[in-house]
Structure formats: C-alpha cells, structure tokens
Amino acid sequence: MAEAAPLEVQLVSPEAVSYSGTAEMVIARTVGGGDVAFMAGHAPFIGVLATWSVDVVRPDGQRDTFAVHRGFVEVSNNEVMILSDVSEAAADIDLQRASAAQSRAQEALAKNPDDLEAVAALERATLRLSISQT
C-alpha cells in the first residue's frame, strides 16, 4: 500500500508566516467544535479557531506548537491553511511579558469582571504561558 503524501501546511498571521512546510498531522481547536486533527485525505473543512494552541506534527515525528489567537482554518486537497490574528511559536514566547500581561488582566478583571478586553488578554497570556512550558 502506498504511503499517503504529507499535508502542506501554512500558518500565517499579519506579522509573519509562523510555519510553512509539510506535516503528518495538524491539531487545532475550533470555536464550538473542540479539537480537530487533520491528516492526509481529510475531508474539506473550514472552521473558526479558538484562542488555543495549534500543534504541527512533522514527518520526522517532531511536534511544533504555536499559540494561535483566533482566526480560521481551511483544509482541502491535503493542504491546511491557518490564518490567524496572531500566531507565535512556543520557543518565541517572552515569558516575562506574558506573565506581566496575565497579572494586568487579572487586576483589570478584579476591578471589572465584565471587561471583555481583559478576559481576552487573560486568555492570550494564559495560553502563551501554558505552551511555553511544554
């Protein structure tokens, strides 16, 4: 039996291309849909991404993890295109900056639990800290 061709993956934000290459699998979290794993031969798919990590499992078995702050994922013809507002490789995350952002967001929420910007900031900072420690 012939081995399936790997996925062609693009992970793009307005600032940069975070990943461009092949993968055996891509794992992302969609809003309202939970985690989804894409492999070669996956049915066409379009989804809205949650603020969560995206894992790219390369053909050599190594895994690259990215913090993705919302966006979209489209899959067709063994190609995965992820367009995000912000994406950061785990290795590129500034831990001090993320920790300070988390503290500021927590302070803002203590003053006003309905502050949607603080909720989003806390979500982003917590994600950054979480994936940078894996």
Side-chain angles (χ1 to χ4, degrees):
M1 178 184 281
E3 188 173 312
L7 296 168
E8 291 297 323
V9 180
Q10 299 287 320
L11 176 53
V12 180
S13 71
E15 291 83 31
V17 175
S18 297
Y19 185 89
S20 179
T22 60
E24 291 297 318
M25 180 170 39
V26 176
I27 305 163
R29 179 164 290 181
T30 58
V31 173
D35 291 348
V36 60
F38 305 107
M39 297 177 72
H42 197 284
F45 179 89
I46 295 177
V48 178
L49 293 171
T51 297
W52 200 255
S53 61
V54 167
D55 290 312
V56 176
V57 181
R58 293 180 289 169
D60 64 5
Q62 295 294 313
R63 181 180 294 238
D64 295 318
T65 301
F66 302 88
V68 173
H69 308 289
R70 303 192 185 232
F72 300 92
V73 58
E74 178 185 10
V75 179
S76 68
N77 300 319
N78 284 341
E79 295 180 0
V80 178
M81 173 64 75
I82 296 175
L83 304 171
S84 68
D85 296 342
V86 176
S87 64
E88 304 164 283
D92 295 338
I93 292 172
D94 181 333
L95 288 173
Q96 288 180 324
R97 183 173 170 235
S99 182
Q102 184 181 47
S103 294
R104 284 191 307 273
Q106 289 169 333
E107 289 170 11
L109 286 171
K111 293 176 187 172
N112 179 4
D114 297 324
D115 184 341
L116 296 179
E117 286 185 33
V119 169
L122 180 60
E123 189 176 55
R124 291 188 304 268
T126 301
L127 173 61
R128 286 178 175 125
L129 291 170
S130 173
I131 72 160
S132 66
Q133 297 170 4
T134 57

